[in-house]
Structures are given as structure tokens and as C-alpha cells.
């Protein structure tokens, strides 16, 4: 029998850390990657120093400036981040592990075949030196830090990597998994979004421990997701790493009967598209890093514009807000539109908030 050993690697404040590495004068400073506050723009990423002030991805740059007056605003360099990501993934591939890249700064590694021992927990502990070596390689070769979680499945490995950032290493053994999960909020679990969290909270379920102890049938609260959620609550997850074809994007568009630049009609269209994208993301238990708008004019000229964020999006309101921002910033509705489209890409699992230490 092969004991499963899964690592989840998450780069620490990736965009901002690349900027601090490449510009040493930014080290230790509250770095905000995004448009300057003097222009209409949003935050794409923030360093840990800036996050202490409440600065987050998708926030308006002017709001970030108000929260963090001394913030150092840096324009995003997506090509540089993608190139850096490629170098990091090459380091991961050298381990001989099966690698599932989730985004530019995140990946799962199945190291089961190279970390076997006499029992499941001993196998997990055997992965610790490998994880330490990976972190050291990334530090020495790329001058960046990474956090790694180790567990017997994807669910627990990701929770472990969220537990102690930055530059952390956490192992959740089989013996520890149930007590480890008990005090954590239900939102921590894969597949539990804002709406599901609210439904559970109304039923008196706020922690994973509450889920573990719940005597009723969770299907009465969350439908067909109930049995899976019950398994997740005790740390059970049999999802394999996916290294083949995967969904790349989700989008929708509408061709109008008559060309229009009526803001009310366009806003209504975007809201419907954003709501549909949210439903499809949640159905597939995914989140998006990139939002894109598409417009077509009466002469069939077609333009697309996009924005990428470090922290992924799942909610329709945020997707809609960023779509409106792109249309406004690029002045795309300067004449009537024949078609309006909205899409998301760079998809991955939703990110939980960093977990507080017990």
C-alpha cells in the first residue's frame, strides 16, 4: 500500500516579493503593486508590510493610499512574474515529484513515491527534509521565500500552507488532522464560499468542529455538497492531482439587438454575466486571478482588456466591479456597442485567509 504524501507550495506575497528582490530599496517597505493612486486603478498585490494596513488585491488604489499613506506603489510587471514562475516550477520538477501547477505562485507536489516509510505519519515526516531543501533552493536560486504544507491529501496540504506564512513549513499528520481542524472557521474548507458559510452560520455552525459534531444531515443545509463537506470536516479528501487537461477560462457575452451605449443596459448585462460566472466558478470550486472584458462595435472592431490580481476572485460583485473599472479606465464605451463580454481566467482553487496560530 502506498501512503499518500502531498505538499502544497505557495510563494509568499509573490508579485511584491519579486519587486522587492529586484529593487532592494523596497525591502521592508509597504509595497503596493498596481496603478498609482493619482490615476484610476486597483491594487494587484500587496507586500506583507502593506497588508498590515489592510491593503488587499482588487482594492481601489486611492483607498490603499488612504489606508497606507507611505505605501510604495509599483506598476505590475506580469511578464516578469510569469518568467519567475517558470523558474520556480523548474525547481519543483527537479524533485521528481508529480507537480500540479495551480497558478503562477502555487503548486501541489505528490511525493508519495519518494517518501514512503513504515506508516502514513512516518511517510509524511519523511517529506520534511525534501520540503526544507525546496525552500532552500528557491531562496538560494531565486532569492524568494515559499511556504509549504505537508499532509496526506490536497485539502489538508493547502490548509497547512495557509497556517504559517511567510516562510513557513507545517505538517498535518493523520493523528493530528481532526483536532487541528476543529477550531478553524468553516470558510477554511475547500468549496465553502461566502454563501455556504452564511447558511452554515445560520444553522449554528461556525467552526469545523461544529461541522464534525453536527448530528443532522448536512444535505438539508447545503444540498448534494453535504456528504463531501462532512468528509472534509474530518480531513478526508481523495482528489488526485490533475496534470492533464483542465478548464482554462469561464466567460459569457451578449450581442445586442441594437447597438447601445446606454449605461443602465450595459451595467445590467455585466451584472448578469458576473453572476453567471460566479455560479460556474463555485460549481467547479474554482477562483480566478484574471478578469477580462470584450467589446465589439458596429464596424465589428473588437477590443479586449484584462487585469490580473495576485489574490483570486470568486464573488460576482468583485468581478463586476473590476469589469466596470476596465471599461472606464480604457474608455471602451466611447461609442455604441454591438457586443459586450466578460470572462475570467488563470483559474485555481479558492484561497483561504491565513490561519491564526493557536
Amino acid at each position: 500500500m502506498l501512503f499518500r504524501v502531498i505538499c502544497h507550495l505557495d510563494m509568499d506575497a509573490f508579485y511584491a516579493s519579486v519587486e522587492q528582490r529586484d529593487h532592494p530599496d523596497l525591502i521592508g517597505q509597504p509595497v503596493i503593486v498596481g496603478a498609482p493612486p493619482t490615476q484610476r486603478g486597483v491594487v494587484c498585490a500587496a507586500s506583507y508590510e502593506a497588508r498590515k494596513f489592510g491593503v488587499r488585491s482588487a482594492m481601489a488604489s486611492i483607498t490603499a493610499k488612504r489606508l497606507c499613506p507611505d505605501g510604495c506603489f509599483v506598476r505590475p510587471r506580469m511578464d516578469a512574474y510569469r518568467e519567475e514562475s517558470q523558474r520556480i516550477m523548474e525547481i519543483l520538477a527537479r524533485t521528481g515529484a508529480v507537480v500540479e501547477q495551480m497558478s503562477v505562485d502555487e503548486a501541489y507536489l505528490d511525493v508519495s513515491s519518494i517518501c514512503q516509510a513504515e506508516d502514513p505519519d512516518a511517510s509524511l515526516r519523511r517529506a520534511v527534509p525534501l520540503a526544507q531543501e525546496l525552500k532552500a533552493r528557491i531562496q538560494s536560486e531565486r532569492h524568494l521565500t515559499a511556504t509549504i504544507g505537508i499532509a496526506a491529501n490536497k485539502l489538508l496540504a493547502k490548509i497547512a500552507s495557509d497556517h504559517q506564512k511567510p516562510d513557513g513549513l507545517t505538517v498535518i499528520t493523520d493523528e493530528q488532522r481532526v483536532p487541528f481542524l476543529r477550531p478553524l472557521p468553516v470558510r477554511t474548507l475547500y468549496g465553502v464560499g461566502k454563501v455556504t458559510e452564511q447558511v452554515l452560520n445560520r444553522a449554528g455552525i461556525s467552526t469545523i468542529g461544529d461541522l464534525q459534531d453536527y448530528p443532522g444531515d448536512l444535505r438539508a443545509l447545503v444540498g448534494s455538497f453535504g456528504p463531501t463537506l462532512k468528509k472534509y470536516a474530518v480531513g478526508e479528501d481523495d482528489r488526485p492531482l490533475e496534470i492533464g487537461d483542465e478548464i482554462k477560462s469561464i466567460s459569457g457575452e451578449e450581442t445586442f439587438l441594437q447597438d447601445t451605449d446606454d449605461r443602465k443596459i450595459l451595467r445590467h448585462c455585466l451584472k448578469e454575466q458576473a453572476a453567471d460566472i460566479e455560479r460556474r466558478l463555485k460549481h467547479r470550486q474554482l477562483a480566478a486571478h484574471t478578469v477580462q472584458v470584450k467589446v465589439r462595435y458596429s464596424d465589428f472592431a473588437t477590443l479586449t482588456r484584462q487585469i490580473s490580481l495576485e489574490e483570486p476572485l470568486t464573488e460576482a460583485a468583485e468581478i463586476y466591479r473590476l469589469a466596470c473599472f476596465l471599461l472606464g479606465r480604457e474608455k471602451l464605451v466611447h461609442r455604441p456597442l454591438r457586443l459586450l463580454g466578460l470572462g475570467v481566467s488563470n483559474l485555481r482553487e479558492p484561497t483561504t485567509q491565513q490561519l491564526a496560530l493557536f
Side-chain angles (χ1 to χ4, degrees):
M1 178 179 179
L2 191 70
F3 302 119
R4 290 191 82 197
V5 183
I6 307 296
C7 299
H8 180 262
L9 179 140
D10 195 5
M11 299 301 297
D12 299 322
F14 185 52
Y15 295 5
S17 294
V18 171
E19 296 300 337
Q20 289 174 321
R21 180 200 64 187
D22 293 350
H23 305 93
D25 56 306
L26 294 177
I27 294 174
Q29 300 299 314
V31 175
I32 301 170
V33 180
T38 54
Q39 300 177 7
R40 185 175 181 180
V42 297
V43 174
C44 295
S47 69
Y48 288 106
E49 295 87 353
R51 294 181 191 184
K52 292 178 181 177
F53 292 88
V55 179
R56 292 290 183 271
S57 291
M59 176 181 289
S61 295
I62 192 169
T63 303
K65 178 67 173 178
R66 187 171 66 249
L67 292 172
C68 185
D70 296 325
C72 304
F73 284 80
V74 179
R75 289 193 177 277
R77 298 181 295 142
M78 298 309 300
D79 288 344
Y81 310 146
R82 282 190 286 267
E83 182 177 348
E84 186 61 46
S85 173
Q86 185 176 345
R87 303 286 87 78
I88 292 165
M89 296 304 153
E90 289 171 356
I91 293 174
L92 303 191
R94 296 205 298 266
T95 65
V98 176
V99 179
E100 178 186 3
Q101 182 175 352
M102 300 302 297
S103 68
V104 291
D105 63 343
E106 177 187 14
Y108 286 104
L109 294 86
D110 188 334
V111 296
S112 305
S113 63
I114 53 179
C115 292
Q116 288 298 290
E118 64 274 9
D119 59 58
D121 287 352
S123 299
L124 294 175
R125 286 189 284 269
R126 183 164 286 185
V128 171
L130 173 63
Q132 291 171 329
E133 182 181 355
L134 262 181
K135 284 164 56 65
R137 284 184 188 174
I138 291 170
Q139 175 68 65
S140 64
E141 296 181 28
R142 307 311 310 163
H143 306 290
L144 297 169
T145 63
T147 296
I148 297 178
I150 303 172
N153 56 55
K154 294 171 74 172
L155 172 81
L156 291 175
K158 184 167 178 59
I159 290 174
S161 70
D162 283 331
H163 181 63
Q164 191 177 7
K165 292 180 69 71
D167 200 20
L169 174 57
T170 300
V171 180
I172 302 178
T173 64
D174 187 63
E175 182 181 31
Q176 296 170 330
R177 61 187 170 95
V178 172
F180 187 98
L181 292 172
R182 283 193 70 81
L184 304 181
V186 289
R187 187 71 180 267
T188 305
L189 292 176
Y190 177 60
V192 178
K194 184 177 180 180
V195 174
T196 302
E197 179 186 36
Q198 291 171 347
V199 169
L200 294 171
N201 288 171
R202 286 196 293 268
I205 301 170
S206 59
T207 68
I208 298 177
D210 294 333
L211 270 176
Q212 293 172 357
D213 299 338
Y214 188 71
D217 188 342
L218 288 173
R219 284 177 292 189
L221 299 176
V222 296
S224 60
F225 183 46
T228 300
L229 182 57
K230 192 70 171 179
K231 290 181 180 179
Y232 286 172
V234 293
E236 295 179 3
D237 175 24
D238 58 3
R239 289 175 298 143
L241 268 64
E242 298 177 3
I243 55 176
D245 295 334
E246 75 268 10
I247 182 171
K248 301 292 187 181
S249 63
I250 294 174
S251 63
E253 58 186 41
E254 181 173 342
T255 300
F256 303 111
L257 293 176
Q258 292 183 324
D259 297 354
T260 182
D261 57 3
D262 186 309
R263 276 12 182 213
K264 185 176 180 180
I265 293 174
L266 298 179
R267 283 195 295 267
H268 178 72
C269 176
L270 283 178
K271 284 181 179 178
E272 286 194 333
Q273 291 172 352
D276 179 61
I277 288 170
E278 180 189 280
R279 285 191 295 270
R280 293 160 68 185
L281 283 171
K282 291 183 176 178
H283 175 71
R284 295 177 178 272
Q285 297 184 1
L286 292 171
H289 278 281
T290 300
V291 175
Q292 176 180 284
V293 293
K294 173 182 176 181
V295 298
R296 181 171 295 148
Y297 303 103
S298 57
D299 59 359
F300 287 90
T302 304
L303 297 175
T304 60
R305 295 292 185 270
Q306 67 180 35
I307 184 169
S308 293
L309 308 176
E310 188 173 70
E311 296 178 20
L313 305 161
T314 58
E315 304 297 326
E318 285 294 300
I319 296 168
Y320 167 76
R321 187 172 67 83
L322 288 170
C324 290
F325 161 72
L326 287 170
L327 289 176
R329 184 186 69 177
E330 304 293 334
K331 298 180 172 58
L332 297 180
V333 194
H334 62 275
R335 54 184 168 128
L337 303 182
R338 177 185 179 87
L339 174 147
L340 177 61
L342 174 61
V344 295
S345 58
N346 197 3
L347 306 181
R348 58 179 270 190
E349 294 177 3
T351 296
T352 58
Q353 295 181 348
Q354 182 178 344
L355 309 178
L357 298 178
F358 303 68

